[in-house]
Amino acid sequence: MPSWFTKLFEKQDNSSMGHDERPSFPTGSDYLDMVMDEETESAPERRVVRAPVLDPGEEEFESPKGLRIKAAILSPTSCRFMVERPVVEGGYSLVVLGPESMHKSPLAEALFDLGRIEAVIIHGANVTVARSPEERSDWKPLATAIGARIRSHLEAGRPCIAHEYLNELPSESAIRERLEKALDQVINPGIAAHSGYIQLDRVEGNTAYIEMQGGCQGCAASQMTLRDGVEQIFREAVPQLGLILDVTDHDSGTNPFYASMPTDEG
Amino acid sequence: MPRLETFDITIRTGERGLDGTPRFSINGFPLEFDTTDGSATPGGVLEATGNPGSYPHSLVLVGPEASPWDIEEVEITYYMEGSEPYTVYLGPITLETDADLSLLYDQPLQTFDV
Protein backbone atom coordinates (compact mmCIF):
# COMPACT_ATOMS: atom_id res chain seq x y z
CA MET A 1 0.00 0.00 0.00
CA PRO A 2 1.51 3.34 -0.93
CA SER A 3 2.57 5.45 2.03
CA TRP A 4 0.49 8.45 0.92
CA PHE A 5 -2.62 6.24 1.16
CA THR A 6 -1.77 5.28 4.74
CA LYS A 7 -0.99 8.90 5.60
CA LEU A 8 -4.38 9.93 4.26
CA PHE A 9 -6.16 7.84 6.88
CA GLU A 10 -3.67 8.55 9.64
CA LYS A 11 -4.53 12.20 9.19
CA GLN A 12 -8.26 11.48 9.55
CA ASP A 13 -7.74 9.32 12.66
CA ASN A 14 -5.70 12.01 14.36
CA SER A 15 -8.11 14.84 13.63
CA SER A 16 -9.89 16.32 16.61
CA MET A 17 -13.66 15.97 16.62
CA GLY A 18 -15.68 17.89 19.12
CA HIS A 19 -19.46 17.67 19.30
CA ASP A 20 -19.89 20.63 17.02
CA GLU A 21 -17.08 19.81 14.66
CA ARG A 22 -17.25 17.95 11.41
CA PRO A 23 -14.51 15.42 10.65
CA SER A 24 -11.49 17.14 9.14
CA PHE A 25 -10.96 15.52 5.77
CA PRO A 26 -7.81 16.38 3.87
CA THR A 27 -8.22 18.87 1.08
CA GLY A 28 -7.13 18.24 -2.48
CA SER A 29 -3.85 20.04 -1.86
CA ASP A 30 -3.16 17.94 1.27
CA TYR A 31 -3.69 14.86 -0.82
CA LEU A 32 -1.46 16.15 -3.59
CA ASP A 33 1.30 17.00 -1.10
CA MET A 34 1.23 13.42 0.18
CA VAL A 35 1.53 11.99 -3.33
CA MET A 36 4.30 14.43 -4.22
CA ASP A 37 6.18 13.69 -0.99
CA GLU A 38 6.29 10.01 -1.88
CA GLU A 39 7.41 10.69 -5.45
CA THR A 40 10.17 12.93 -4.19
CA GLU A 41 11.40 10.27 -1.81
CA SER A 42 11.51 7.49 -4.40
CA ALA A 43 12.96 9.03 -7.57
CA PRO A 44 15.65 11.56 -8.42
CA GLU A 45 13.98 14.70 -9.61
CA ARG A 46 14.44 15.57 -13.27
CA ARG A 47 12.76 18.32 -15.17
CA VAL A 48 11.58 18.44 -18.75
CA VAL A 49 12.56 21.43 -20.84
CA ARG A 50 11.36 22.57 -24.23
CA ALA A 51 13.56 23.91 -26.99
CA PRO A 52 12.45 26.81 -29.18
CA VAL A 53 10.53 25.66 -32.22
CA LEU A 54 12.01 27.18 -35.35
CA ASP A 55 9.61 28.91 -37.73
CA PRO A 56 9.16 26.70 -40.78
CA GLY A 57 8.57 29.79 -42.86
CA GLU A 58 5.32 31.52 -43.56
CA GLU A 59 3.34 31.46 -46.72
CA GLU A 60 2.89 34.95 -48.06
CA PHE A 61 -0.61 34.88 -49.44
CA GLU A 62 -1.60 38.48 -49.64
CA SER A 63 -0.44 41.65 -47.93
CA PRO A 64 -3.31 44.10 -47.81
CA LYS A 65 -2.60 47.56 -46.48
CA GLY A 66 -3.70 48.58 -43.02
CA LEU A 67 -3.91 46.53 -39.85
CA ARG A 68 -1.92 43.33 -40.26
CA ILE A 69 -3.83 40.11 -39.68
CA LYS A 70 -2.42 36.62 -40.08
CA ALA A 71 -4.54 33.53 -40.51
CA ALA A 72 -3.60 30.07 -39.26
CA ILE A 73 -5.71 27.11 -40.34
CA LEU A 74 -6.19 24.97 -37.24
CA SER A 75 -8.37 22.28 -38.81
CA PRO A 76 -10.73 21.83 -41.77
CA THR A 77 -13.39 23.56 -39.67
CA SER A 78 -11.49 26.24 -37.74
CA CYS A 79 -9.14 29.09 -38.49
CA ARG A 80 -7.44 31.52 -36.11
CA PHE A 81 -6.92 35.17 -37.03
CA MET A 82 -4.05 36.85 -35.21
CA VAL A 83 -4.24 40.63 -35.18
CA GLU A 84 -1.15 42.75 -34.57
CA ARG A 85 -2.82 44.37 -31.58
CA PRO A 86 -5.33 43.15 -28.96
CA VAL A 87 -8.93 43.13 -30.12
CA VAL A 88 -10.21 43.00 -26.55
CA GLU A 89 -8.51 44.29 -23.41
CA GLY A 90 -8.64 43.29 -19.75
CA GLY A 91 -8.35 39.55 -20.24
CA TYR A 92 -11.97 39.20 -21.34
CA SER A 93 -13.00 36.49 -23.77
CA LEU A 94 -16.18 35.47 -25.49
CA VAL A 95 -17.41 32.28 -27.10
CA VAL A 96 -20.28 32.93 -29.53
CA LEU A 97 -21.93 29.67 -30.53
CA GLY A 98 -24.35 30.54 -33.30
CA PRO A 99 -26.17 33.67 -34.42
CA GLU A 100 -28.62 33.54 -31.49
CA SER A 101 -25.97 34.91 -29.11
CA MET A 102 -24.25 37.31 -31.51
CA HIS A 103 -25.82 40.29 -29.74
CA LYS A 104 -22.93 39.90 -27.26
CA SER A 105 -20.44 40.79 -29.96
CA PRO A 106 -20.70 43.31 -32.79
CA LEU A 107 -17.66 41.64 -34.38
CA ALA A 108 -19.29 38.20 -34.29
CA GLU A 109 -22.40 39.73 -35.81
CA ALA A 110 -20.31 41.13 -38.68
CA LEU A 111 -18.68 37.75 -39.23
CA PHE A 112 -21.88 35.70 -39.07
CA ASP A 113 -23.19 38.02 -41.78
CA LEU A 114 -20.67 36.43 -44.15
CA GLY A 115 -22.55 33.10 -43.89
CA ARG A 116 -21.14 29.59 -43.44
CA ILE A 117 -19.84 30.50 -39.95
CA GLU A 118 -20.97 28.60 -36.85
CA ALA A 119 -18.89 29.97 -33.97
CA VAL A 120 -16.61 32.87 -33.11
CA ILE A 121 -14.17 32.98 -30.19
CA ILE A 122 -12.58 36.28 -29.20
CA HIS A 123 -9.65 36.61 -26.81
CA GLY A 124 -6.61 38.87 -26.62
CA ALA A 125 -5.32 39.52 -30.13
CA ASN A 126 -6.99 36.42 -31.56
CA VAL A 127 -10.28 35.74 -33.26
CA THR A 128 -10.99 32.08 -33.94
CA VAL A 129 -13.74 31.18 -36.37
CA ALA A 130 -15.41 27.80 -36.87
CA ARG A 131 -17.31 26.97 -40.01
CA SER A 132 -19.75 24.20 -40.83
CA PRO A 133 -18.30 20.66 -40.58
CA GLU A 134 -19.78 19.95 -44.01
CA GLU A 135 -17.73 22.75 -45.54
CA ARG A 136 -14.76 21.24 -47.35
CA SER A 137 -13.69 24.06 -49.67
CA ASP A 138 -10.32 25.82 -49.44
CA TRP A 139 -10.18 28.06 -46.36
CA LYS A 140 -8.30 30.86 -48.09
CA PRO A 141 -11.18 32.69 -49.84
CA LEU A 142 -13.30 32.65 -46.67
CA ALA A 143 -10.28 33.51 -44.51
CA THR A 144 -9.55 36.50 -46.73
CA ALA A 145 -13.13 37.72 -46.40
CA ILE A 146 -13.06 37.24 -42.63
CA GLY A 147 -9.72 39.04 -42.35
CA ALA A 148 -11.07 41.99 -44.33
CA ARG A 149 -14.19 42.10 -42.16
CA ILE A 150 -12.14 42.05 -38.93
CA ARG A 151 -9.85 44.79 -40.26
CA SER A 152 -12.67 47.12 -41.29
CA HIS A 153 -14.45 46.51 -37.97
CA LEU A 154 -11.37 47.36 -35.91
CA GLU A 155 -10.29 50.29 -38.05
CA ALA A 156 -13.77 51.77 -37.66
CA GLY A 157 -13.24 51.68 -33.89
CA ARG A 158 -16.20 49.38 -33.24
CA PRO A 159 -16.09 47.15 -30.12
CA CYS A 160 -15.55 43.41 -30.47
CA ILE A 161 -17.51 42.55 -27.34
CA ALA A 162 -20.64 44.60 -26.58
CA HIS A 163 -20.16 47.09 -23.74
CA GLU A 164 -23.55 46.12 -22.33
CA TYR A 165 -22.43 42.51 -22.05
CA LEU A 166 -19.10 43.41 -20.42
CA ASN A 167 -20.89 45.64 -17.90
CA GLU A 168 -23.10 42.76 -16.77
CA LEU A 169 -20.25 40.31 -16.13
CA PRO A 170 -19.49 39.23 -12.55
CA SER A 171 -16.27 40.57 -11.05
CA GLU A 172 -13.06 38.54 -11.21
CA SER A 173 -13.27 37.81 -7.48
CA ALA A 174 -16.87 36.59 -7.78
CA ILE A 175 -15.93 34.35 -10.70
CA ARG A 176 -12.93 32.99 -8.81
CA GLU A 177 -15.03 32.25 -5.74
CA ARG A 178 -17.66 30.33 -7.72
CA LEU A 179 -15.09 28.34 -9.71
CA GLU A 180 -13.09 27.39 -6.61
CA LYS A 181 -16.28 26.20 -4.96
CA ALA A 182 -17.03 24.04 -8.02
CA LEU A 183 -13.50 22.63 -7.91
CA ASP A 184 -13.61 21.84 -4.20
CA GLN A 185 -17.11 20.41 -4.09
CA VAL A 186 -17.61 18.72 -7.45
CA ILE A 187 -14.58 18.40 -9.70
CA ASN A 188 -11.69 17.44 -7.43
CA PRO A 189 -13.57 14.81 -5.42
CA GLY A 190 -14.55 13.27 -8.77
CA ILE A 191 -11.05 13.01 -10.20
CA ALA A 192 -9.35 12.01 -6.94
CA ALA A 193 -9.71 8.34 -7.95
CA HIS A 194 -7.15 9.03 -10.69
CA SER A 195 -4.84 10.84 -8.26
CA GLY A 196 -5.81 13.97 -10.12
CA TYR A 197 -6.25 17.47 -8.84
CA ILE A 198 -7.15 20.68 -10.63
CA GLN A 199 -6.56 24.14 -9.28
CA LEU A 200 -7.53 27.55 -10.49
CA ASP A 201 -4.36 29.39 -11.49
CA ARG A 202 -6.03 32.75 -12.04
CA VAL A 203 -8.99 34.62 -13.46
CA GLU A 204 -8.45 37.51 -15.84
CA GLY A 205 -11.59 39.33 -16.88
CA ASN A 206 -13.96 36.41 -17.39
CA THR A 207 -11.22 34.03 -18.59
CA ALA A 208 -10.19 31.15 -16.33
CA TYR A 209 -6.70 29.63 -16.29
CA ILE A 210 -6.47 26.20 -14.72
CA GLU A 211 -3.60 23.92 -13.83
CA MET A 212 -3.86 20.16 -13.69
CA GLN A 213 -1.79 18.30 -11.14
CA GLY A 214 -1.18 14.78 -9.86
CA GLY A 215 -2.53 12.15 -12.22
CA CYS A 216 -4.12 14.73 -14.54
CA GLN A 217 -0.74 16.29 -15.35
CA GLY A 218 0.47 14.69 -18.53
CA CYS A 219 -2.52 12.36 -18.78
CA ALA A 220 -3.56 11.60 -22.35
CA ALA A 221 -7.21 12.03 -21.35
CA SER A 222 -6.68 15.39 -19.63
CA GLN A 223 -8.16 17.40 -22.49
CA MET A 224 -11.24 15.18 -22.50
CA THR A 225 -11.55 15.76 -18.76
CA LEU A 226 -11.30 19.48 -19.39
CA ARG A 227 -13.74 19.57 -22.30
CA ASP A 228 -16.38 17.13 -21.10
CA GLY A 229 -16.17 17.59 -17.35
CA VAL A 230 -14.57 20.75 -16.08
CA GLU A 231 -15.92 23.06 -18.76
CA GLN A 232 -19.51 21.95 -18.29
CA ILE A 233 -19.37 22.30 -14.50
CA PHE A 234 -17.60 25.66 -14.71
CA ARG A 235 -20.20 27.04 -17.11
CA GLU A 236 -22.99 25.92 -14.82
CA ALA A 237 -21.24 27.79 -12.00
CA VAL A 238 -20.55 30.91 -14.09
CA PRO A 239 -22.71 31.09 -17.24
CA GLN A 240 -20.85 34.24 -18.39
CA LEU A 241 -17.47 32.51 -18.25
CA GLY A 242 -15.29 33.06 -21.30
CA LEU A 243 -12.47 30.72 -22.26
CA ILE A 244 -11.06 28.08 -19.92
CA LEU A 245 -7.35 27.77 -20.66
CA ASP A 246 -5.13 24.95 -19.45
CA VAL A 247 -1.72 26.30 -18.38
CA THR A 248 -0.41 22.94 -17.19
CA ASP A 249 3.05 21.87 -18.24
CA HIS A 250 1.98 18.36 -19.21
CA ASP A 251 5.55 17.26 -19.99
CA SER A 252 6.97 17.60 -16.52
CA GLY A 253 4.61 15.80 -14.18
CA THR A 254 6.26 13.89 -11.36
CA ASN A 255 3.21 11.68 -10.98
CA PRO A 256 1.47 11.34 -14.35
CA PHE A 257 -1.26 8.73 -14.17
CA TYR A 258 0.14 6.37 -16.82
CA ALA A 259 3.67 6.48 -15.43
CA SER A 260 2.35 5.27 -12.09
CA MET A 261 0.66 2.21 -13.58
CA PRO A 262 2.20 -1.06 -12.38
CA THR A 263 4.55 -2.82 -14.76
CA ASP A 264 5.43 -6.48 -15.21
CA GLU A 265 8.60 -5.84 -13.24
CA GLY A 266 6.48 -4.60 -10.35
CA MET B 1 -2.64 13.11 -29.84
CA PRO B 2 -3.02 10.09 -32.16
CA ARG B 3 -0.90 6.98 -31.96
CA LEU B 4 2.76 7.69 -32.71
CA GLU B 5 4.09 4.81 -34.76
CA THR B 6 7.62 6.00 -35.48
CA PHE B 7 9.74 9.11 -35.27
CA ASP B 8 13.03 9.99 -36.90
CA ILE B 9 15.31 12.37 -35.07
CA THR B 10 18.51 14.15 -36.06
CA ILE B 11 20.47 15.85 -33.27
CA ARG B 12 23.30 18.27 -34.03
CA THR B 13 25.55 18.64 -30.96
CA GLY B 14 27.41 21.83 -30.07
CA GLU B 15 30.53 22.34 -27.95
CA ARG B 16 29.68 19.95 -25.13
CA GLY B 17 28.55 16.48 -26.09
CA LEU B 18 27.25 13.29 -24.58
CA ASP B 19 29.13 10.06 -24.04
CA GLY B 20 27.29 7.08 -25.44
CA THR B 21 23.93 6.93 -27.13
CA PRO B 22 20.99 8.78 -25.64
CA ARG B 23 17.69 7.11 -24.88
CA PHE B 24 14.18 8.41 -25.16
CA SER B 25 11.22 8.00 -22.85
CA ILE B 26 7.55 7.73 -23.75
CA ASN B 27 4.89 8.22 -21.09
CA GLY B 28 7.57 7.79 -18.43
CA PHE B 29 8.99 4.53 -19.80
CA PRO B 30 12.61 4.70 -21.02
CA LEU B 31 13.37 3.02 -24.35
CA GLU B 32 16.38 2.58 -26.61
CA PHE B 33 16.31 3.97 -30.12
CA ASP B 34 15.76 1.21 -32.67
CA THR B 35 18.44 2.49 -35.02
CA THR B 36 21.23 5.01 -34.54
CA ASP B 37 23.87 6.44 -36.82
CA GLY B 38 26.54 8.99 -35.92
CA SER B 39 27.19 10.34 -32.44
CA ALA B 40 26.35 13.02 -29.91
CA THR B 41 29.98 13.93 -29.30
CA PRO B 42 30.99 17.62 -29.66
CA GLY B 43 30.17 18.77 -33.21
CA GLY B 44 28.66 15.40 -34.04
CA VAL B 45 25.38 14.55 -35.72
CA LEU B 46 23.26 11.69 -34.45
CA GLU B 47 20.45 10.22 -36.53
CA ALA B 48 18.09 7.83 -34.78
CA THR B 49 14.71 6.21 -35.15
CA GLY B 50 12.30 5.35 -32.37
CA ASN B 51 9.29 3.06 -32.74
CA PRO B 52 7.11 3.73 -29.70
CA GLY B 53 3.84 2.52 -31.30
CA SER B 54 1.85 4.19 -28.55
CA TYR B 55 -0.35 7.14 -27.70
CA PRO B 56 2.05 9.71 -26.30
CA HIS B 57 1.22 12.18 -23.58
CA SER B 58 4.90 12.64 -22.93
CA LEU B 59 7.89 11.99 -25.18
CA VAL B 60 11.33 13.11 -24.03
CA LEU B 61 14.96 12.73 -24.97
CA VAL B 62 16.66 11.59 -21.79
CA GLY B 63 19.27 14.17 -20.90
CA PRO B 64 22.79 13.83 -19.51
CA GLU B 65 23.68 12.84 -15.95
CA ALA B 66 27.40 13.67 -15.79
CA SER B 67 27.82 17.00 -17.58
CA PRO B 68 25.73 19.42 -19.66
CA TRP B 69 24.93 18.67 -23.31
CA ASP B 70 24.80 21.52 -25.83
CA ILE B 71 22.32 20.81 -28.58
CA GLU B 72 22.43 23.11 -31.57
CA GLU B 73 19.52 21.80 -33.57
CA VAL B 74 17.04 18.97 -33.57
CA GLU B 75 14.91 17.79 -36.47
CA ILE B 76 12.05 15.42 -35.66
CA THR B 77 9.74 13.77 -38.17
CA TYR B 78 6.63 12.18 -36.70
CA TYR B 79 4.72 9.33 -38.29
CA MET B 80 1.31 9.35 -36.66
CA GLU B 81 -1.40 6.82 -37.29
CA GLY B 82 -3.93 8.04 -39.84
CA SER B 83 -2.21 11.31 -40.72
CA GLU B 84 0.55 12.63 -42.93
CA PRO B 85 4.04 12.78 -41.42
CA TYR B 86 5.22 16.17 -40.26
CA THR B 87 8.56 17.64 -39.27
CA VAL B 88 9.47 20.04 -36.46
CA TYR B 89 12.76 21.90 -36.14
CA LEU B 90 14.05 22.87 -32.71
CA GLY B 91 16.62 25.53 -31.98
CA PRO B 92 19.58 25.51 -29.60
CA ILE B 93 19.26 24.41 -26.00
CA THR B 94 21.62 23.22 -23.27
CA LEU B 95 20.51 20.21 -21.27
CA GLU B 96 21.80 20.40 -17.73
CA THR B 97 22.41 17.22 -15.76
CA ASP B 98 18.89 17.27 -14.31
CA ALA B 99 17.05 18.00 -17.54
CA ASP B 100 15.35 15.99 -20.27
CA LEU B 101 14.22 17.49 -23.58
CA SER B 102 10.59 17.31 -24.59
CA LEU B 103 10.20 15.82 -28.07
CA LEU B 104 6.46 16.21 -28.34
CA TYR B 105 5.50 19.17 -30.50
CA ASP B 106 2.37 19.80 -32.50
CA GLN B 107 2.55 20.31 -36.22
CA PRO B 108 3.54 23.95 -36.80
CA LEU B 109 0.72 26.07 -38.08
CA GLN B 110 1.06 27.46 -41.56
CA THR B 111 0.14 31.11 -41.52
CA PHE B 112 -0.65 33.65 -44.21
CA ASP B 113 -1.60 37.29 -44.33
CA VAL B 114 -5.24 38.10 -44.94
Side-chain angles (χ1 to χ4, degrees), chain A residues 11-81:
Chain A
K11 180 156 184 151
Q12 285 182 220
D13 291 343
N14 294 336
S15 61
S16 61
M17 287 178 61
H19 287 298
D20 298 328
E21 293 178 48
R22 293 181 177 181
S24 173
F25 291 103
T27 65
S29 58
D30 290 338
Y31 167 77
L32 183 66
D33 288 344
M34 293 174 199
V35 175
M36 301 301 263
D37 285 348
E38 176 156 303
E39 291 298 314
T40 306
E41 289 162 11
S42 60
E45 197 169 323
R46 291 187 70 81
R47 58 197 172 92
V48 177
V49 297
R50 295 179 73 83
V53 178
L54 302 180
D55 190 342
E58 62 187 47
E59 181 184 353
E60 289 296 339
F61 174 61
E62 192 176 338
S63 297
K65 290 179 181 174
L67 196 63
R68 193 174 189 203
I69 302 173
K70 296 173 81 68
I73 299 169
L74 305 177
S75 74
T77 59
S78 63
C79 186
R80 177 175 299 151
F81 298 85

Side-chain angles (χ1 to χ4, degrees), chain A residues 46-54 56 58-64 68-74 140 143 147 151 218 220 251 258 263, chain B residues 27-29 57-58 60 63-65 73 88-93 95-102 104-105 108-114:
Chain A
R46 291 187 70 81
R47 58 197 172 92
V48 177
V49 297
R50 295 179 73 83
V53 178
L54 302 180
E58 62 187 47
E59 181 184 353
E60 289 296 339
F61 174 61
E62 192 176 338
S63 297
R68 193 174 189 203
I69 302 173
K70 296 173 81 68
I73 299 169
L74 305 177
K140 285 181 181 173
R151 182 178 297 104
D251 282 326
Y258 287 104
T263 64
Chain B
N27 299 346
F29 295 98
H57 63 77
S58 165
V60 301
E65 292 183 355
E73 190 177 85
V88 170
Y89 299 91
L90 306 180
I93 189 165
L95 294 184
E96 302 294 342
T97 53
D98 64 344
D100 300 330
L101 176 64
S102 176
L104 206 52
Y105 295 84
L109 294 174
Q110 298 293 321
T111 62
F112 50 91
D113 287 322
V114 293

Side-chain angles (χ1 to χ4, degrees), chain A residues 214-230:
Chain A
C216 290
Q217 187 178 15
C219 175
S222 61
Q223 294 312 301
M224 196 184 300
T225 302
L226 176 59
R227 190 181 60 244
D228 297 340
V230 176

Side-chain angles (χ1 to χ4, degrees), chain B residues 46-104:
Chain B
L46 175 73
E47 295 179 343
T49 298
N51 294 305
S54 185
Y55 297 88
H57 63 77
S58 165
L59 180 70
V60 301
L61 178 69
V62 177
E65 292 183 355
S67 59
W69 179 14
D70 295 326
I71 293 176
E72 281 194 350
E73 190 177 85
V74 179
E75 177 183 338
I76 315 165
T77 300
Y78 304 88
Y79 300 87
M80 298 283 192
E81 181 183 43
S83 59
E84 291 294 312
Y86 68 91
T87 300
V88 170
Y89 299 91
L90 306 180
I93 189 165
T94 295
L95 294 184
E96 302 294 342
T97 53
D98 64 344
D100 300 330
L101 176 64
S102 176
L103 297 180
L104 206 52

Side-chain angles (χ1 to χ4, degrees), chain A:
Chain A
M1 184 179 294
S3 64
W4 59 262
F5 190 80
T6 313
K7 286 179 198 170
L8 193 69
F9 286 91
E10 282 174 358
K11 180 156 184 151
Q12 285 182 220
D13 291 343
N14 294 336
S15 61
S16 61
M17 287 178 61
H19 287 298
D20 298 328
E21 293 178 48
R22 293 181 177 181
S24 173
F25 291 103
T27 65
S29 58
D30 290 338
Y31 167 77
L32 183 66
D33 288 344
M34 293 174 199
V35 175
M36 301 301 263
D37 285 348
E38 176 156 303
E39 291 298 314
T40 306
E41 289 162 11
S42 60
E45 197 169 323
R46 291 187 70 81
R47 58 197 172 92
V48 177
V49 297
R50 295 179 73 83
V53 178
L54 302 180
D55 190 342
E58 62 187 47
E59 181 184 353
E60 289 296 339
F61 174 61
E62 192 176 338
S63 297
K65 290 179 181 174
L67 196 63
R68 193 174 189 203
I69 302 173
K70 296 173 81 68
I73 299 169
L74 305 177
S75 74
T77 59
S78 63
C79 186
R80 177 175 299 151
F81 298 85
M82 296 165 284
V83 184
E84 65 178 338
R85 67 168 172 82
V87 299
V88 59
E89 304 278 1
Y92 292 101
S93 55
L94 182 65
V95 180
V96 183
L97 300 173
E100 59 275 7
S101 47
M102 66 187 181
H103 62 279
K104 300 173 185 172
S105 166
L107 176 60
E109 187 175 359
L111 298 181
F112 277 111
D113 188 51
L114 289 168
R116 297 182 288 165
I117 290 173
E118 297 210 331
V120 175
I121 300 171
I122 302 168
H123 181 235
N126 294 332
V127 179
T128 304
V129 175
R131 66 179 182 178
S132 165
E134 289 79 38
E135 188 73 60
R136 284 286 177 264
S137 60
D138 186 4
W139 251 111
K140 285 181 181 173
L142 180 57
T144 305
I146 292 171
R149 192 65 66 98
I150 294 172
R151 182 178 297 104
S152 63
H153 188 91
L154 294 172
E155 289 180 345
R158 301 187 65 205
C160 293
I161 300 178
H163 294 309
E164 299 80 8
Y165 183 73
L166 288 175
N167 291 338
E168 292 173 0
L169 291 177
S171 67
E172 287 182 2
S173 59
I175 293 174
R176 188 180 303 112
E177 188 177 326
R178 284 191 237 170
L179 297 184
E180 285 179 342
K181 186 177 176 185
L183 282 168
D184 290 343
Q185 296 185 353
V186 183
I187 296 171
N188 282 328
I191 60 176
H194 288 239
S195 306
Y197 177 65
I198 296 175
Q199 69 178 22
L200 187 63
D201 182 71
R202 64 189 188 278
V203 173
E204 290 179 5
N206 65 336
T207 305
Y209 295 81
I210 62 161
E211 189 169 9
M212 297 182 163
Q213 300 189 4
C216 290
Q217 187 178 15
C219 175
S222 61
Q223 294 312 301
M224 196 184 300
T225 302
L226 176 59
R227 190 181 60 244
D228 297 340
V230 176
E231 177 162 357
Q232 187 180 343
I233 295 165
F234 270 12
R235 292 199 187 287
E236 284 174 12
V238 185
Q240 307 93 331
L241 190 63
L243 289 176
I244 303 162
L245 300 175
D246 178 13
V247 294
T248 309
D249 178 4
H250 283 284
D251 282 326
S252 62
T254 54
N255 181 39
F257 182 64
Y258 287 104
S260 64
M261 296 285 274
T263 64
D264 290 340
E265 290 77 23

